[in-house]
Structures are given as structure tokens and as C-alpha cells.
Amino acid sequence: SQTIHQWPATLVQPVGSPLSLECTVEGTSNPNLYWYRQAAGRGLQLLFYSVGIGQISSEVPQNLSASRPQDRQFILSSKKLLLSDSGFYLCAWSGTRGQPQHFGDGTRLSIL
Amino acid sequence: RKEVEQDPGPFNVPEGATVAFNCTYSNSASQSFFWYRQDCRKEPKLLMSVYSSGNEDGRFTAQLNRASQYISLLIRDSKLSDSATYLCAVNINDYKLSFGAGTTVTVRA
């Protein structure tokens, strides 16, 4: 069966520091991969998605970036974090068209 | 108009009651519909896919109304453990889903 791993679960970072969140999927090949952010009490905001290695689509302008160095690995990065980057970051994967997305456990990021 | 809209609630219901709520979507070309459950400070988890004929999974029934562009979720015989936020999701193209902001359900003893 397919599993998705996301880490770390919680992260506290100072303003201006870099960020790297990693997500890996097991048990499937060529998944579609997604990064979402959920602010407290709000809906899911799609940040990036990828349909293949090296293919990244950005949904909102921001100081975040994403990379997909391997088929089942998706990385969310920032060179300098802002206070507004605080939130709950979720990685997700899906299979072929029409299939639902499945989420990792999420990373709760607090910027101080 | 938002792509997907939900009544935020909260719906406060006693144990054993039936609760139902809808989710409207704006893209008439959407083909895939899902309900997710999200507990406080946790990730959304797929509850059920919504098929055109409607489908049932235990105490949960999902229906699709294409003419009026909404999907519904009905929970029968509510349990305390059903307390959560329920998110609907609708595909907007081959790769992306648009999620509603969620409907909060609280089941009280």
C-alpha cells in the first residue's frame, strides 16, 4: 500500500532563517505531488504541485520554492522565512486523473 | 464566486441525530468529488469519494447534484467521534483539487 512521510512534525524558526521540508511517498510510482499551507482556522491553499521529476507548478507568488529531485520526493524550501510563513504545511500525493489526494501528517511551522 | 463553498457551521447535534450539509461548486465541468474529514491540528483524511449515483459508507451518505452543482454529506446516528471539520474537494483540472474551507460538526452527549 502507498504511504506518505513528511517531516518534521513541528518546527520553530526565527525570521530570516532558511527552511527545508521534505516529503516522500512509498508504494507508487510517478505520483502527482502537492504542497499546501493551511493558516489557523482557514482552508487549504495550494502552493505547488508537480506531475513529474523536475516539473514544478507554482500557484501563488511568495518567498517559497519547491523541488522534486526524485520521483517520490518533494521538497519545500525558503531562503529567508517571513512571519507570514507560519502555518500548517501539508504534502499530498495522488495517482491518475480523477483520484483523490492523500495527505502526510503535516508540519506545523512557527516563525518567531 | 469561490470555486468551492461550504457552510462553515458549526453544526451542534446530539448523539444519535442526523446531520447533513452541502458544498457548492462553480465549475460545471468538474468530474471528481470527495469528502475529507479533518480533526483539530491534524491532516485531512479521505472520508469518501462521491459518485454520480450517490454512495453510502456505513452511517455516511454522499450525493451529487450536477444540475444545482452541489454535493452533500449526511451522517446518521451521530457519534461523539464524528466531531470534526468536513472538507469537500472538487477537481478543477486533471491535477488539481479545490477544497472548501470546511464545515464544523460537533456532536454532544
Side-chain angles (χ1 to χ4, degrees):
Chain A
S1 64
Q2 302 89 356
T3 56
I4 179 169
H5 303 279
Q6 187 182 341
W7 66 93
T10 306
L11 193 58
V12 181
Q13 293 283 97
V15 170
S17 64
L19 173 74
S20 181
L21 301 180
E22 189 165 341
C23 171
T24 59
V25 181
E26 295 178 357
T28 187
S29 57
N30 197 30
N32 297 323
L33 297 172
Y34 307 83
W35 279 111
Y36 289 88
R37 177 170 59 206
Q38 188 175 36
R42 306 289 293 275
L44 294 171
Q45 179 187 34
L46 180 62
L47 302 175
F48 301 94
Y49 70 96
S50 171
V51 300
I53 296 174
Q55 300 179 60
I56 308 294
S57 295
S58 175
E59 290 295 296
V60 291
Q62 59 212 327
N63 69 320
L64 299 172
S65 62
S67 62
R68 185 171 178 171
Q70 299 180 47
D71 181 43
R72 290 169 290 173
Q73 183 185 29
F74 205 22
I75 297 172
L76 182 69
S77 304
S78 175
K79 292 182 180 178
K80 279 188 175 183
L81 287 167
L82 306 173
L83 283 175
S84 58
D85 291 324
S86 292
F88 189 38
Y89 287 82
L90 290 154
C91 181
W93 76 272
S94 72
T96 56
R97 184 178 64 178
Q99 294 188 0
Q101 294 176 15
H102 302 276
F103 291 86
D105 291 343
T107 295
R108 199 158 297 279
L109 176 63
S110 299
I111 309 299
L112 304 178
Chain B
R1 182 182 175 187
K2 291 182 180 179
E3 290 171 333
V4 179
E5 294 196 74
Q6 294 184 249
D7 181 345
F11 287 75
N12 293 306
V13 299
E15 272 187 294
T18 296
V19 59
F21 39 89
N22 295 337
C23 165
T24 59
Y25 61 95
S26 60
N27 186 352
S28 59
S30 293
Q31 296 292 324
S32 303
F33 309 89
F34 309 99
W35 282 106
Y36 286 79
R37 171 196 170 121
Q38 186 173 26
D39 293 301
C40 187
R41 299 178 69 81
K42 296 287 189 178
E43 78 279 16
K45 292 184 177 178
L46 180 67
L47 180 64
M48 57 199 305
S49 302
V50 185
Y51 303 120
S52 57
S53 57
N55 48 301
E56 189 175 305
D57 182 2
R59 297 180 294 106
F60 297 84
T61 300
Q63 291 199 313
L64 167 64
N65 185 316
R66 286 193 185 275
S68 300
Q69 293 184 206
Y70 73 87
I71 60 173
S72 63
L73 183 66
L74 182 145
I75 308 173
R76 285 186 302 277
D77 188 23
S78 298
K79 311 292 185 190
L80 293 175
S81 57
D82 294 333
S83 296
T85 297
Y86 292 86
L87 310 177
C88 66
V90 178
N91 80 296
I92 53 177
N93 61 27
D94 285 351
Y95 306 112
K96 298 193 312 186
L97 295 178
S98 183
F99 286 82
T103 296
T104 299
V105 173
T106 302
V107 182
R108 62 183 188 274

